[in-house]
Amino acid sequence: MAHPLRDNTYNISDTAANIAAGVGTDSVALVDAGTVEATTSATAAEANTIASLSQAVTYNISDTATNVAGANSTALNQAFNIVCTTDGTVAEVTTIESAINTGSNTFNIKDTAANIANAGNALLSKAGTVTVDGTANVSQAVTIGGFAQAVIYSISDSSGNALAAAGVAYNEAVDITISGNLTFAKAEIIKEAGNSGTKTYVINDTAAIIAGAVSATSGSIADVDTLSSATSVTANTSATFAEAATIAGIATVISYSISDEQSNIP
């Protein structure tokens, strides 16, 4: 007696790992299904396997930024949401953002100051957080500080590159470290900056300017605080006795010489 033909209609909903395993062992069952959906996020490797199936599969990807960026374009394009579980470099997230997946891309960026400065705000603004790996020089900080996207960075540069006027480059930094000798005026810009961390600098200026700063307030902070916060202060001209008496009270390492008329020396 002949058996009637059976119409087997089914959908598949299973973990990404099981679906990926089925591509090699049970691909006919997957291809013949009405719909196939991964109930867990696929790793990049699993997504590569799933995307090779002729049947459409609904899946998300969650893996390290390096692994996700290394996935083949078909795996990325056919995914719904893509989540990076580690920080990605600018190059990695650029690859991820080039995918035409139908959902969202979630990632943070951590890279060198040079790469972040060159990345542009359009890409950076898509990240959750952006962090400079290492430090930025002043020029890079000027670019990075100008982005609408917040970036976490510290500055390390030489005195010749120190800013001559206040700006977002200093204000949005964490730590500011300037090596070499700074005039009091440039040190004052650093001291007045709104950065969230430390300020490290050395002052080298005339005895008259240094002495004058002890009792002055040229910004929101007393100038003597700028002097006291310096790693060291050096007068590059000889101080009068009166200037020396004023300078000697600065609460930091200070170096100066005295040259004055005998009548001015007690």
Side-chain angles (χ1 to χ4, degrees):
M1 179 178 177
H3 293 283
L5 294 176
R6 290 180 296 176
D7 182 11
N8 294 329
T9 302
Y10 59 90
N11 299 321
I12 294 176
S13 180
D14 206 340
T15 65
N18 287 343
I19 292 172
V23 171
T25 61
D26 217 359
S27 58
V28 173
L30 292 170
V31 171
D32 287 346
T35 62
V36 181
E37 178 183 7
T39 57
T40 60
S41 294
T43 65
E46 290 166 348
N48 284 342
T49 301
I50 292 170
S52 69
L53 193 66
S54 59
Q55 165 73 293
V57 180
T58 302
Y59 62 91
N60 299 317
I61 298 175
S62 180
D63 207 335
T64 66
T66 299
N67 288 346
V68 173
N72 64 55
S73 60
T74 302
L76 296 177
N77 291 339
Q78 293 185 4
F80 187 65
N81 297 323
I82 297 175
V83 176
C84 295
T85 58
T86 60
D87 295 333
T89 63
V90 168
E92 288 168 345
V93 300
T94 298
T95 297
I96 294 164
E97 274 296 297
S98 68
I100 57 172
N101 57 304
T102 52
S104 62
N105 297 332
T106 303
F107 54 81
N108 298 320
I109 296 174
K110 186 174 185 179
D111 207 337
T112 64
N115 288 343
I116 288 175
N118 290 330
N121 189 70
L123 176 65
L124 299 181
S125 63
K126 295 176 181 178
T129 61
V130 181
T131 305
V132 169
D133 189 9
T135 57
N137 61 36
V138 171
S139 177
Q140 292 163 341
V142 169
T143 300
I144 292 169
F147 291 142
Q149 167 73 327
V151 180
I152 300 169
Y153 65 93
S154 292
I155 296 173
S156 180
D157 208 337
S158 59
S159 56
N161 296 325
L163 292 178
V168 293
Y170 281 175
N171 292 337
E172 295 188 5
V174 179
D175 300 328
I176 302 173
T177 302
I178 302 296
S179 60
N181 295 325
L182 286 177
T183 62
F184 173 81
K186 287 191 174 182
E188 175 73 358
I189 292 168
I190 295 173
K191 182 60 178 175
E192 291 280 342
N195 64 302
S196 59
T198 61
K199 312 168 197 277
T200 304
Y201 56 87
V202 169
I203 295 174
N204 186 299
D205 213 328
T206 66
I209 288 175
I210 293 171
V214 170
S215 58
T217 301
S218 55
S220 61
I221 300 170
D223 290 0
V224 69
D225 289 343
T226 300
L227 296 171
S228 299
S229 297
T231 302
S232 65
V233 178
T234 300
N236 56 31
T237 60
S238 294
T240 64
F241 184 81
E243 290 169 342
T246 301
I247 291 170
I250 299 171
T252 192
V253 177
I254 183 162
S255 175
Y256 61 93
S257 299
I258 299 173
S259 178
D260 207 343
E261 295 180 3
Q262 186 174 359
S263 60
N264 293 330
I265 301 175

